[in-house]
Amino acid sequence: MVEFSANLGFLWNDLPLPDAIRKAKAAGFTAVELHWPYDTPAAEVKAALDETGLPCLGLNTRRGNVAGGDNGCAAIAGREAEAQGYIDEALAYARDIGAMNVHVMAGFTDQSADAKASFAQNLRYACTQAALTQRTILIEPLNHHDAKGYHIATIAQAQEALADVDLPNLKIMFDCYHLQIMQGDLMTLFKGCQDQIGHVQFAAVPGRGEPDQGEVNYPWLLPELARLGWSAPFGAEYKPRGKMEDGLSWIAAYR
């Protein structure tokens, strides 16, 4: 049976986070994941998770100066102290709510030696700190249409970063939406890096709405990934086309 995690950065994001967790439980999701929950006290999130029995699969480090165009800074040379501060904050929040994964956001930068060195330095720091509480660090390729100039955009670039760091608790966030846009052939991509994947997300391509339309046949793909051995909930990270509850009928295809 395929199970799903509700990404509350997009789903029910008009509600206070504890209420969104309750909505996810009522809708049949078996886990949740977060974007940037830091405005909500961790104790309130933990209480809602305990109440519903839902695990939290992960959260992101802060993006930095969003108004100034930031989308993370871990690969931006000269901002190592800032990046490591965001890592510390995310790991502390993850510890307090019981989330096992932290996605370290790389930022907009080139593929220069300096950028790669800064990314590796910050990821080594993140992995070392995360290992103290048995947590995993994730990095995610983002497509160059939605996030033009993001430091990693392909599986090969993510694998290079993993090789540079060479620590076992660094994994890839395999986002089907981003990777279909950049590379396609999702099944082959998955097979080529399955042992390096820490989480799988999905949304319709190209619209990023509910996964019941577009060019990816998720009712075939996700059960196939499960057949290959992926047993964790798949992260539903889509932008609802309308009212949240009106768009949940896609789940019926997996029941």
Side-chain angles (χ1 to χ4, degrees):
M1 180 177 173
V2 177
E3 296 186 346
F4 298 106
S5 168
N7 189 300
L8 302 181
F10 287 158
L11 308 187
W12 293 290
N13 62 4
D14 58 331
L15 298 177
L17 195 45
D19 290 340
I21 292 170
R22 297 181 185 102
K23 285 285 191 179
K25 173 68 173 181
F29 289 92
T30 59
V32 297
E33 55 203 65
L34 313 175
H35 279 170
W36 304 281
Y38 305 107
D39 290 339
T40 304
E44 295 180 14
V45 173
K46 181 65 163 60
L49 294 172
D50 290 346
E51 173 190 328
T52 59
L54 296 182
C56 180
L57 300 187
L59 52 93
N60 299 335
T61 57
R62 287 190 191 267
R63 289 174 286 181
N65 180 8
V66 178
D70 280 349
N71 198 25
C73 63
I76 300 177
R79 295 178 66 177
E80 291 81 6
E82 181 183 356
Q84 291 175 21
Y86 295 148
I87 289 164
D88 289 340
E89 176 189 40
L91 284 170
Y93 199 102
R95 178 199 64 218
D96 289 347
I97 68 170
M100 296 310 298
N101 300 313
V102 167
H103 168 213
V104 173
M105 301 201 66
F108 297 120
T109 185
D110 54 26
Q111 285 287 312
S112 68
D114 285 347
K116 291 180 180 180
S118 292
F119 200 33
Q121 176 183 335
N122 289 323
L123 290 175
R124 286 190 201 99
Y125 176 84
C127 289
T128 299
Q129 296 303 115
L132 299 176
T133 54
Q134 292 77 53
R135 286 179 161 75
T136 297
I137 298 299
L138 302 177
I139 57 173
E140 180 181 15
L142 302 184
N143 79 75
H144 277 181
H145 300 285
D146 293 345
K148 185 175 177 61
Y150 194 74
H151 181 64
I152 51 173
T154 66
I155 288 295
Q157 289 173 339
Q159 289 176 313
E160 181 181 359
L162 263 63
D164 288 344
V165 174
D166 194 24
L167 288 173
N169 62 332
L170 180 62
K171 300 289 186 179
I172 296 170
M173 180 105 75
F174 190 97
D175 189 312
C176 297
Y177 166 77
H178 289 292
L179 292 170
Q180 174 67 15
I181 291 172
M182 291 301 298
Q183 298 184 258
D185 198 3
L186 293 173
M187 179 61 77
T188 299
L189 278 182
F190 183 89
K191 289 179 178 178
C193 65
Q194 183 171 352
D195 292 343
Q196 298 171 302
I197 295 173
H199 185 44
V200 178
Q201 294 178 328
F202 65 101
V205 181
R208 208 174 190 179
E210 287 86 347
D212 56 2
Q213 61 178 233
E215 62 191 53
V216 179
N217 181 5
Y218 286 115
W220 174 83
L221 178 67
L222 298 184
E224 282 297 299
L225 299 186
R227 186 183 62 79
L228 290 174
W230 187 260
S231 58
F234 293 98
E237 192 189 36
Y238 63 84
K239 297 179 179 180
R241 296 189 295 265
K243 185 178 178 181
M244 181 64 217
E245 277 75 13
D246 291 345
L248 288 172
S249 60
W250 63 268
I251 297 177
Y254 302 89
R255 297 293 184 253

